[in-house]
Amino acid sequence: MTEQSIALQFTSVSFSYPALQVLEDVSFHFHTGEFIALVGPNGSGKTTLLKLILGLEQPQAGTISLLGQSPKKSSSLIGYVPQHASYDPTFPITVEEVVRMGLVESMKRGQRKQELQQALWALQQVELAHLASRPYSDLSGGQRRRVLVARALCAKPSMLILDEPFAGLDPINIDLIRRLIEQLRQEGKTIVLSAHQMNLVEELCDRI
């Protein structure tokens, strides 16, 4: 493989919280277009590793290269679906407005029409375009998770990172997200997904 085909590389990375060593001398890499799953029980460090990839945390030792740059410089090229997204249910925001938040870094002022088109396209991918004008607080937990996937897809990122996307979902929403991930994989999207259940990802991904 050429250097240009490496999407993510950890080299001798170590990270600790004040009272807990999470990663020690970790090295690995994967390539553009691969679907990688991080599998382990709750508390095993999956979310911490994703935060390092996203540049939300900094390693105490070692280096991280993401799409040929530091994680912070590559952040606008990454779509991220968090495991938990806190929100104020009394705040009046629509589904479409939540999805448009994924365009904050990629759009210039005065491009509202294009923003709307991309938001509706992203909602179509998760089969929720018919709820674009619905208050976000009115949605079920599974629908809100799908809206967050749409938000991550809205800017058409080079890489998609999903933290426990199936956690707490009913079988219908699990199946829909699985089908969407499989479609993105077939399109050549680079995907990193964390999960604590092997059976949900082993048939989808390239490596675990």
Side-chain angles (χ1 to χ4, degrees), residues 5 38 48-49 51 70 74 77 123 143 176 183 189-190:
S5 69
L38 306 173
T48 297
L49 192 147
K51 287 181 177 180
S70 69
S74 298
L77 304 175
L123 283 168
Q143 289 173 328
L176 191 148
Q183 175 187 326
K189 186 76 70 179
T190 305

Side-chain angles (χ1 to χ4, degrees), residues 1 4 9 29-30 59 61 65 71 87 89 96 101 103-104 111 121 154 158-160 180 203:
M1 291 288 184
Q4 288 73 23
Q9 182 152 17
H29 71 272
F30 62 80
S65 174
Y87 74 102
E96 171 251 310
M101 289 178 181
L103 296 170
V104 170
Q111 293 183 309
W121 168 84
C154 196
S158 299
M159 181 186 297
L160 186 65
L180 174 60
E203 294 181 1

Side-chain angles (χ1 to χ4, degrees), residues 47-208:
T47 296
T48 297
L49 192 147
L50 295 183
K51 287 181 177 180
L52 288 165
I53 296 173
L54 292 162
L56 301 176
E57 297 284 2
Q58 302 300 315
Q60 281 89 33
T63 60
I64 301 171
S65 174
L66 178 63
L67 302 176
Q69 305 180 90
S70 69
K72 284 193 173 182
K73 288 185 178 179
S74 298
S75 61
S76 63
L77 304 175
I78 307 300
Y80 175 51
V81 183
Q83 181 178 355
H84 303 291
S86 59
Y87 74 102
D88 181 354
T90 65
F91 187 76
I93 189 170
T94 67
V95 168
E96 171 251 310
E97 288 169 333
V98 171
V99 175
R100 282 170 53 202
M101 289 178 181
L103 296 170
V104 170
E105 293 189 14
S106 62
M107 284 292 190
K108 298 178 181 178
R109 296 181 64 181
Q111 293 183 309
R112 179 174 171 78
K113 183 176 180 180
Q114 188 177 347
E115 285 184 4
L116 290 172
Q117 290 175 340
Q118 286 194 221
L120 289 174
W121 168 84
L123 283 168
Q124 288 171 355
Q125 306 311 299
V126 298
E127 301 181 16
L128 289 178
H130 61 292
L131 298 181
S133 60
R134 185 79 60 86
Y136 182 67
S137 58
D138 285 358
L139 272 56
S140 69
Q143 289 173 328
R144 286 199 293 270
R145 187 74 57 80
R146 287 156 57 188
V147 169
L148 295 179
V149 173
R151 183 181 68 178
L153 291 174
C154 196
K156 300 184 178 179
S158 299
M159 181 186 297
L160 186 65
I161 296 177
L162 305 100
D163 190 2
E164 296 278 7
F166 307 117
L169 296 188
D170 59 74
I172 291 176
N173 282 294
I174 287 175
D175 181 64
L176 191 148
I177 291 179
R178 278 171 57 91
R179 286 189 282 112
L180 174 60
I181 290 172
E182 176 61 25
Q183 175 187 326
L184 293 169
R185 179 193 182 193
Q186 292 177 358
E187 293 173 358
K189 186 76 70 179
T190 305
I191 302 171
V192 183
L193 178 152
S194 74
H196 64 274
Q197 294 173 282
M198 181 81 77
N199 64 304
L200 290 176
V201 297
E202 60 184 344
E203 294 181 1
L204 290 174
C205 63
D206 299 305
R207 285 194 285 156
I208 295 177

